[in-house]
Amino acid sequence: MKPAPPSTRDWSFRVLAALTFLCLALGILARFRGLGTWPLSVDEYYLAQSVQNILRSGLPHYACGGLYVRGLALQYGAALLQVTGLTPELAPRLIAALASLIELPGVYLLARRLGGRNIGLIAVALLAVSVWEVEVARFGRMYAPFQAIFVWYLVYFLAYTLDRKRSALWGMLGLSLLSVLVWEGGFFLTLANLLPPFIRAPSGRLSRTDWKYLALAALLCVPGYLLATVDLRAGGAVPTLPPHYQEPVAVHLSRLDLATMPWMTLHLHPLWMWLALLPAGAIAYALLTVLRARLAPLALLGLVLASLCALLQQFGLAVAIGVVLGLLSMLDWRVLFSSPLRAVPAAIAVCAAFWIAFGLATQDWHVAGLSPAATGLLLGYEFARFPDFVREVLAPWAHTVPHLGLALALLLAAACVRALRHPASSNAERVLLALLVILLLAASASHPPRHETRYVFFLYPLAVVLALVTIQRWMAVLLGATPAAAVATVLVAGGGFALSEDFRPWHLLHIDSTVVSFRLGMPPAIVEHYQSRSDMRGAARWLDEHVDRAHDTVINSFPGVDFYYPYSNFYYMNGADPRFESWSCQRGARERWSNLPLLYSDAALLAQVRSGHRVWIVAESSHLPEWRALLPRGDWKILWRSISGDITILCVNAAAVNVAGGI
């Protein structure tokens, strides 16, 4: 008897599995090819220098005092690999690349749980060939390791919270503690440890066991909070800043910085203060109705917080609180429009009307001269200023990967709307959506040093999985539960990804080339997304060939060049530079990272320039206008510039230079 022919479902799965295998092979090749070839980037230099300190003293202790505790686990792991013979470039990158691969099975488990094995394979395939994933996997910092920990944390979180597997508890708690040692963002995971009892009991009525668990989880938050907030760089008895140092005046480059929340200027307008009694009274009445409605404790607390946020014009946060309550089944949104609680949305509407009128009628809260349209847009931002989702997430994504960001935003918003409208939908999906919203809010409220996409990189796999599940559901609605729907899901998901900024096959195939490594010809926005690289090794090699160490003076002003050229005499950084406070050490006598004598004033720099020796200056090309204004005219020339254009070597007292040419 002949065997039955394979079903269409089996055939399509095998094709998808083969495609996933090819994507995985390309992703592995792209992650490891030439991984240790190129010099450190500036951000990698900080960690690599701290690893050298560990190898020197056993602690990430700066030679001039203080500790560098970012990515402690990664630092010690890289130090161990360097002891075995790996280079400073390869050691941390190898950890990041391996972590990026370890993450993929966790992604498959999450995606399979939500959408089946097809969605699991699609998610693995897309993330395997994601240029962003590959670039961060080749970046010797803590972002890829933390993402891997986060993905597996979610696997254990769902197993413990929803499947009630007690064995998963130790994996979940252990990963959250490890995450704190990998990146300060691990504090978010220690906070997420507090959620399981409330997810299991949405009413908020907890058992004695739940309270014991919460006490343990709260205790684990302490080390996370300390590592995330305590600055140990300034440790030691000697002050780090020079005497009489004055912090430079902040330069505001955006109207968003110059504006303030309108409620902070309300006291300047007596009539409006009287009118403000209307929204305040509406909120007070709404809270009374909430108290009389005898809601569950968590629903009651959430509505009180959302109402107070609306009174202080933070409508974005108010909506986010409502979304989280709905996703975690703590509050059904339809209850808000029933007669007992109808006063709550009405009061929020009164607050919105009042603050819109006040914002448009006054201008104390922003700079004068804005057009009505600009004022309206700025007012909208002020209504969602905290957490600052607009600048920390929305703006960086719109600037770097607008198509990918828009697609993910629409798909995730659709997933949230569906989950809120259908309370009986998958518990796992609702919990993951709630975690995504909560962690986006946490990241937006964390005030990172720069507005960049990398600070939410750890959420990318979760966003991709939830987006794929939404596409699968749409295809099922259009085509039914048929093999055609499965094929359509693959085509739509793969085709959409191929049209996004995150699919660049040429980039992956030439990942170890000079063009890709130094971002030659790439748009600045994409360079920000991937992280720039500088040819610090090339600068050091050039100095080695041309500097007379016995007679010349070398002043370095580009971070990281000292790692490859340890013979510089000074480090220069102007005292007005925003980085100065964290780089100054021993009252301004030393530069923290290189431990070189620090020049931070024009007078100190010019004293070296006028010494009569040849003076070589390694400068950041972006600061050349300042160097031109500072150095004596006609007595210096540019002799070398890096292939990426960001490092420039100048020579002062150029008459004595025996180097042909110049730039």
Side-chain angles (χ1 to χ4, degrees):
M1 184 175 178
K2 294 182 179 181
S7 66
T8 305
R9 186 182 300 273
D10 291 336
W11 176 82
S12 62
F13 176 78
R14 290 173 183 171
V15 172
L16 179 58
L19 290 173
T20 301
F21 177 80
L22 291 175
C23 290
L24 191 57
L26 175 59
I28 293 174
L29 176 65
R31 281 164 172 79
F32 291 97
R33 186 176 182 181
L35 188 59
T37 302
W38 300 100
L40 300 168
S41 69
V42 172
D43 279 359
E44 288 176 318
Y45 156 71
Y46 303 138
L47 188 134
Q49 192 72 300
S50 192
V51 170
Q52 298 304 112
N53 293 333
I54 290 176
L55 295 174
R56 172 178 52 83
S57 66
L59 292 173
H61 189 273
Y62 300 106
C64 67
L67 296 170
Y68 183 64
V69 296
R70 294 200 73 191
L72 273 178
L74 181 59
Q75 289 188 49
Y76 278 95
L80 181 62
L81 290 178
Q82 284 187 229
V83 169
T84 66
L86 269 63
T87 65
E89 294 86 0
L90 180 57
R93 292 175 189 169
L94 182 61
I95 296 173
L98 290 172
S100 181
L101 291 183
I102 292 171
E103 159 203 324
L104 294 178
V107 170
Y108 176 79
L109 293 176
L110 289 175
R112 187 184 67 178
R113 176 168 185 148
L114 268 59
R117 60 182 186 174
N118 278 15
I119 293 298
L121 291 178
I122 297 171
V124 169
L126 298 187
L127 292 172
V129 297
S130 157
V131 179
W132 196 24
E133 288 283 331
V134 170
E135 281 288 352
V136 178
R138 296 172 62 87
F139 184 45
R141 293 283 284 180
M142 60 287 295
Y143 302 106
F146 181 76
Q147 187 186 75
I149 291 172
F150 174 68
V151 167
W152 280 103
Y153 173 86
L154 294 179
V155 173
Y156 283 103
F157 184 92
L158 293 180
Y160 174 72
T161 306
L162 300 184
D163 304 335
R164 297 182 179 268
K165 294 182 179 179
R166 293 186 61 83
S167 59
L169 171 63
W170 303 112
M172 184 183 82
L173 296 181
L175 285 172
S176 66
L177 280 177
L178 177 60
S179 71
V180 171
L181 297 175
V182 171
W183 185 45
E184 58 266 29
F187 180 56
F188 299 155
L189 301 193
T190 62
L191 291 178
N193 289 336
L194 300 170
L195 291 175
F198 301 108
I199 294 174
R200 292 177 176 178
S203 65
R205 298 180 177 89
L206 305 180
S207 66
R208 181 177 298 179
T209 302
D210 290 331
W211 286 111
K212 290 180 179 178
Y213 168 84
L214 287 175
L216 173 62
L219 184 63
L220 295 181
C221 290
V222 175
Y225 176 78
L226 292 176
L227 282 174
T229 58
V230 176
D231 185 8
L232 298 178
R233 298 188 193 188
V238 180
T240 60
L241 294 172
H244 313 299
Y245 172 78
Q246 293 184 347
E247 184 177 352
V249 178
V251 178
H252 297 289
L253 302 178
S254 169
R255 287 173 178 168
L256 301 182
D257 294 315
L258 295 172
T260 186
M261 296 182 185
W263 67 265
M264 297 180 70
T265 64
L266 182 63
H267 67 280
L268 301 175
H269 305 274
L271 177 59
W272 282 102
M273 287 186 65
W274 283 105
L275 292 175
L277 294 176
L278 293 175
I283 289 294
Y285 176 75
L287 293 181
L288 286 177
T289 63
V290 169
L291 294 175
R292 292 171 183 167
R294 297 184 179 180
L295 296 172
L298 291 178
L300 173 63
L301 177 62
L303 285 180
V304 170
L305 291 176
S307 300
L308 293 178
C309 287
L311 185 60
L312 294 177
Q313 72 185 47
Q314 293 310 296
F315 300 102
L317 184 56
V319 171
I321 291 173
V323 169
V324 171
L325 290 175
L327 291 173
L328 295 181
S329 302
M330 297 174 181
L331 180 69
D332 190 333
W333 67 273
R334 290 169 292 191
V335 174
L336 292 177
F337 297 94
S338 61
S339 54
L341 294 178
R342 199 171 293 160
V344 175
I348 292 176
V350 171
C351 289
F354 172 81
W355 287 118
I356 290 173
F358 177 77
L360 295 178
T362 63
Q363 65 175 27
D364 310 76
W365 58 276
H366 64 77
V367 296
L370 295 184
S371 66
T375 302
L377 289 174
L378 189 58
L379 184 61
Y381 167 73
E382 294 300 330
F383 286 173
R385 186 172 186 136
F386 182 83
D388 200 349
F389 178 80
V390 172
R391 288 214 285 181
E392 305 303 345
V393 180
L394 183 61
W397 279 70
H399 180 60
T400 56
V401 283
H403 301 122
L404 176 66
L406 179 61
L408 286 177
L410 292 176
L411 290 168
L412 294 174
C416 286
V417 170
R418 180 188 178 276
L420 293 173
R421 292 184 61 189
H422 300 85
S425 59
S426 164
N427 281 335
E429 183 182 358
R430 294 164 67 88
V431 168
L432 291 178
L433 282 168
L435 279 173
L436 180 65
V437 174
I438 291 170
L439 292 173
L440 280 174
L441 293 175
S444 301
S446 61
H447 299 295
R450 292 171 297 277
H451 308 303
E452 295 182 5
T453 54
R454 60 171 150 169
Y455 297 116
V456 293
F457 172 74
F458 71 100
L459 295 171
Y460 187 48
L462 176 58
V464 168
V465 168
L466 292 169
L468 291 175
V469 172
T470 303
I471 293 174
Q472 181 190 54
R473 190 174 292 119
W474 286 355
M475 295 303 102
V477 170
L478 292 174
L479 302 173
T482 63
V487 173
T489 299
V490 175
L491 294 176
V492 171
F497 182 77
L499 295 174
S500 76
E501 299 89 347
D502 205 23
F503 183 70
R504 297 162 63 96
W506 188 93
H507 187 116
L508 295 182
L509 293 173
H510 299 82
I511 194 72
D512 65 333
S513 67
T514 302
V515 172
V516 172
S517 296
F518 292 123
R519 319 306 190 201
L520 303 183
M522 288 187 188
I526 291 294
V527 174
E528 291 178 21
H529 189 54
Y530 297 154
Q531 304 305 312
S532 62
R533 292 191 179 276
S534 306
D535 190 11
M536 295 182 284
R537 188 186 290 143
R541 188 181 302 118
W542 197 92
L543 290 171
D544 264 328
E545 294 172 356
H546 297 94
V547 172
D548 181 352
R549 295 181 200 163
H551 302 95
D552 295 353
T553 299
V554 178
I555 300 175
N556 182 30
S557 188
F558 194 99
V561 171
D562 58 275
F563 193 86
Y564 296 99
Y565 186 80
Y567 310 110
S568 298
N569 303 95
F570 300 96
Y571 195 96
Y572 172 76
M573 174 177 283
N574 191 285
D577 193 297
R579 299 168 293 182
F580 183 80
E581 289 191 14
S582 60
W583 288 24
S584 172
C585 197
Q586 294 184 358
R587 295 190 176 93
R590 294 278 170 179
E591 191 271 323
R592 182 173 302 282
W593 296 102
S594 64
N595 199 39
L596 288 170
L598 178 61
L599 306 175
Y600 58 86
S601 68
D602 294 348
L605 175 68
L606 291 175
Q608 296 300 323
V609 169
R610 292 165 181 161
S611 64
H613 299 288
R614 286 194 306 185
V615 178
W616 304 85
I617 298 174
V618 185
E620 295 176 271
S621 299
S622 59
H623 290 179
L624 277 180
E626 294 116 70
W627 286 106
R628 289 192 177 99
L630 182 61
L631 296 175
R633 293 185 180 181
D635 201 21
W636 61 274
K637 67 168 66 173
I638 296 174
L639 294 176
W640 184 86
R641 185 168 288 157
S642 64
I643 189 172
S644 52
D646 54 347
I647 307 177
T648 299
I649 297 179
L650 307 88
C651 188
V652 188
N653 299 326
V657 176
N658 296 318
V659 179
I663 299 177

